[in-house]
Amino acid sequence: MNFDEIIGLIGGFGKFQKILYVWICLPQIFLAFHMLVSVFTEAVPPHLCSSSKPAAGASASSYFNFSHLSALDGRPELSCTVPLNHSGAVALGDRHPAGRCQRGWEYSTETFQSTTVTEWDLVCDSANLNIMGSSTYMLGLLVGAVLFGSLADKYGRRIIILFNLAIQAVFGVGAAFAPNFYVYIALRFMVGTSVSGVIMNAFVLGIEWTGSKQRMLAGIITDYSFGVGYILLAGIAYLIRDWRKLQLAISAPGFLFVFYIWVLPKSARWLIANDGKEEAWELIRKAAQMNGKPLTKDLEMCKQVYKIEEKTEVKKNHFIDLVRTPKMRKHSLIVFYLWFANVLVYYGLSLNISDFGMNIYLTQLIFGLVEMPARTIVLFTLNRSRKFSQLAFLAVGGTACLLTIFIPSELSIIKTVLAMIGKFGITASLSIIYVYSAEVFPTVIRQNGIGMGSMCARFGGVLAPMMYLLRRISPQAPMVLCGLCPLLGSALTLLLPETANKPLPDTIEDVEGSNLSAEDGGVKPVASEENRHDEVMPHFS
């Protein structure tokens, strides 16, 4: 009897698993806060040189209309330079020789009371530092994925989750009191590593306790909780306009997760694989009782539990096997690109919602609401076709993003609607790639393939904030990139195989279409439909 059969015997998604998913989903809400809070804490409000304002005590807003200042459509030189002719008030039509700001900047407080940008003057020549801050956080996600993935395999899911929840709370609160920008991004980097540690291992813990038939639905549930956090952040940021207070508000409640020490269970599957069979049996018995399917702890059952199937490797496979043969090379490179493009565009849109011209809080709310139907529709399309679902949603997302470049900034509502459709397509596509990539790679190198895909996705996340440096070339360049990348991915998906309702490939020979070698005995196991989602990895939220 293998572990999946035992889980099926005690209830694949009973009361025990439902309570477990409550504990798994609660931190996901706060993970969304940390992932997206930079939209507000690192926002760049309209600004102008302090020496451009009147000395007679008039407010900057009465002296100059900040609404005319926009990095895209206004006069950016008014934000970063001061007219050398000080004969009077600065008018939009004035064309005087200009010099660099020497006395700092005056910032509009219409939308934000303060941000990291206004506190440390991260504008003009220092604007790249602000982008570096967002990319450093994303780099933390990459480091955390590599570091805590391996540590969890060695020390267990539970202890790594608890450790990262503590890191998240401590360094998140610390960021609210950062004395300078460099300390701030260092603390945000640590928060990023902890977010990866929680996302990956909470998902794996849930999957390892869930029956194979319910795993896909369980994964979508965690995605929904991330969407809830996405929506709630809009309201919290609307109420708290000071960046330090906002950072504190989303981080301090993390200390409440200390009670997880008593309620979060270990993974019985991990315990069995690491010589913890007695403790694993106690957890299995507890889960069975909670699910109303108590088991008698007799000798025969113990023997069955201890006879968990062990995976044996006849041949050692390596990362190089992903690109060694023609079809595997083609499939692997396309899947890696899909991971990269999906995450690049997802965070490219999510972290730069101020560019669409509407109220930033309303746009955040709309983008959060879009997450729900996007993840729901995937449940209905995946069983029909993985391939068509992937290419269709990529095409929808890319086309909508491209269309925004033809909409004038005055029509901000239409521009936001198109961006919302783009976000819908990319969110659905991102949900699909987890399942699709797990089915494209054969069993012998599936984990290697998904691991490399995850790495490519993290690089996409690191580059997403930097994408908006392209505005120096053209104001439309970032959205052109957000449109072309998914469209290219959609075209490349045509070269991938359909995997819906088909046996999973187990060996590289299955993918290449060759006969099995003699040492394989000419026989290969056929994966059952209910085990198709065992390798699905957590969302990059």
Side-chain angles (χ1 to χ4, degrees):
M1 179 179 288
N2 64 29
F3 192 82
D4 282 333
E5 291 172 321
I6 293 174
I7 290 294
L9 195 62
I10 67 174
F13 202 72
K15 182 179 178 181
F16 177 85
Q17 286 88 353
K18 290 173 183 175
I19 293 175
L20 173 61
Y21 267 90
V22 171
W23 306 141
I24 288 173
C25 289
L26 282 177
Q28 296 286 333
I29 296 173
F30 290 88
L31 298 183
F33 291 168
H34 288 292
M35 292 287 284
L36 300 166
V37 72
S38 62
V39 169
F40 305 101
T41 57
E42 299 173 17
V44 184
H47 51 279
L48 69 155
C49 288
S50 291
S51 49
S52 300
K53 63 182 181 180
S59 66
S61 57
S62 62
Y63 171 71
F64 193 91
N65 186 357
F66 277 112
S67 64
H68 290 293
L69 284 176
S70 146
L72 299 180
D73 303 306
R75 292 273 302 282
E77 65 271 16
L78 293 176
S79 298
C80 297
T81 60
V82 56
L84 297 179
N85 184 340
H86 299 286
S87 58
V90 180
L92 286 177
D94 290 347
R95 293 288 182 180
H96 297 298
R100 298 178 64 180
C101 295
Q102 300 294 330
R103 303 177 185 176
W105 288 263
E106 180 76 15
Y107 298 92
S108 169
T109 56
E110 181 180 356
T111 304
F112 305 102
Q113 183 179 339
S114 73
T115 69
T116 57
V117 171
T118 66
E119 180 158 340
W120 293 311
D121 286 335
L122 305 179
V123 293
C124 301
D125 293 341
S126 299
N128 288 349
L129 291 177
N130 193 39
I131 294 174
M132 185 182 75
S134 296
S135 292
T136 301
Y137 172 82
M138 291 294 182
L139 182 62
L141 292 176
L142 171 61
V143 173
V146 175
L147 177 63
F148 293 116
S150 58
L151 287 178
D153 288 336
K154 184 175 182 179
Y155 298 106
R157 325 296 185 206
R158 178 180 179 272
I159 188 66
I160 297 300
I161 292 172
L162 296 175
F163 177 71
N164 279 287
L165 285 173
I167 288 180
Q168 192 177 115
V170 171
F171 287 95
V173 169
F177 298 96
N180 58 60
F181 176 71
Y182 297 101
V183 172
Y184 168 75
I185 62 171
L187 293 170
R188 283 280 291 166
F189 173 85
M190 293 302 299
V191 172
T193 63
S194 70
V195 166
S196 267
V198 175
I199 285 178
M200 289 192 310
N201 293 295
F203 182 88
V204 171
L205 179 64
I207 289 299
E208 289 180 342
W209 272 112
T210 305
S212 56
K213 292 182 179 179
Q214 295 86 13
R215 285 176 185 165
M216 187 169 134
L217 177 61
I220 296 294
I221 290 174
T222 61
D223 285 342
Y224 279 134
S225 59
F226 183 88
V228 170
Y230 206 131
I231 295 168
L232 290 177
L233 180 61
I236 296 171
Y238 179 80
L239 295 174
I240 306 175
R241 306 293 182 98
D242 179 90
W243 81 266
R244 290 186 182 272
K245 293 176 182 177
L246 178 58
Q247 179 67 33
L248 188 61
I250 66 167
S251 302
F255 288 107
L256 298 176
F257 288 117
V258 67
F259 78 93
Y260 273 34
I261 295 173
W262 295 280
V263 301
L264 194 67
K266 294 181 179 180
S267 167
R269 188 188 292 262
W270 180 87
L271 287 169
I272 290 171
N274 291 271
D275 298 323
K277 293 183 176 67
E278 279 293 341
E279 187 177 0
W281 170 254
E282 290 301 320
L283 286 170
I284 290 169
R285 186 169 59 83
K286 177 183 176 182
Q289 290 176 340
M290 289 187 67
N291 290 344
K293 297 183 178 182
L295 301 176
T296 57
K297 189 181 180 183
D298 52 42
L299 181 60
E300 185 61 28
M301 195 60 194
C302 284
K303 287 181 180 178
Q304 289 178 325
V305 173
Y306 294 157
K307 288 180 182 178
I308 299 297
E309 292 180 348
E310 295 182 357
K311 296 181 181 178
T312 57
E313 281 188 278
V314 177
K315 177 184 176 183
K316 183 69 174 177
N317 293 95
H318 303 279
F319 284 106
I320 193 65
D321 291 317
L322 291 167
V323 294
R324 191 190 302 277
T325 55
K327 282 189 179 179
M328 275 307 309
R329 180 163 53 248
K330 179 178 71 174
H331 294 173
S332 297
L333 293 178
I334 292 174
V335 168
F336 295 160
Y337 174 78
L338 292 180
W339 282 80
F340 171 83
N342 271 286
V343 172
L344 174 72
V345 178
Y346 180 87
Y347 285 110
L349 293 174
S350 298
L351 297 178
N352 293 278
I353 59 176
S354 60
D355 285 352
F356 302 122
M358 279 184 61
N359 180 279
I360 190 171
Y361 303 103
L362 179 59
T363 307
Q364 173 77 8
L365 176 63
I366 292 172
F367 273 34
L369 290 172
V370 163
E371 297 262 323
M372 303 305 186
R375 301 193 193 285
T376 302
I377 197 171
V378 168
L379 293 173
F380 298 98
T381 64
L382 266 184
N383 288 332
R384 295 179 179 273
S385 171
R386 315 287 203 247
K387 181 176 179 177
F388 179 77
S389 297
Q390 185 78 73
L391 70 87
F393 285 119
L394 281 170
V396 169
T399 301
C401 288
L402 272 184
L403 288 176
T404 62
I405 69 176
F406 301 106
I407 307 300
S409 57
E410 294 79 14
L411 301 176
S412 59
I413 295 179
I414 296 177
K415 201 167 189 175
T416 302
V417 168
L418 287 172
M420 179 186 69
I421 296 172
K423 178 69 160 41
F424 173 90
I426 291 301
T427 300
S429 173
L430 188 57
S431 295
I432 293 167
I433 191 60
Y434 295 108
V435 178
Y436 197 14
S437 60
E439 296 175 349
V440 167
F441 295 118
T443 302
V444 293
I445 52 172
R446 182 167 296 132
Q447 201 58 45
N448 287 338
I450 293 176
M452 285 297 296
S454 300
M455 190 78 70
C456 293
R458 297 303 182 189
F459 278 118
V462 171
L463 294 177
M466 299 181 186
M467 182 189 344
Y468 284 78
L469 291 173
L470 296 175
R471 283 183 294 200
R472 296 176 180 178
I473 301 173
S474 168
Q476 309 296 347
M479 291 307 292
V480 170
L481 189 62
C482 284
L484 293 181
C485 284
L487 289 176
L488 175 59
S490 181
L492 291 174
T493 303
L494 291 170
L495 302 177
L496 292 177
E498 177 59 75
T499 61
N501 305 313
K502 293 184 180 180
L504 291 179
D506 288 305
T507 66
I508 295 175
E509 287 82 359
D510 294 344
V511 175
E512 296 297 329
S514 303
N515 293 327
L516 292 176
S517 58
E519 57 267 26
D520 292 324
V523 179
K524 74 179 184 68
V526 178
S528 63
E529 178 65 26
E530 68 182 20
N531 290 324
R532 300 175 66 79
H533 307 292
D534 290 3
E535 303 291 343
V536 180
M537 295 295 286
H539 196 286
F540 274 102
S541 328

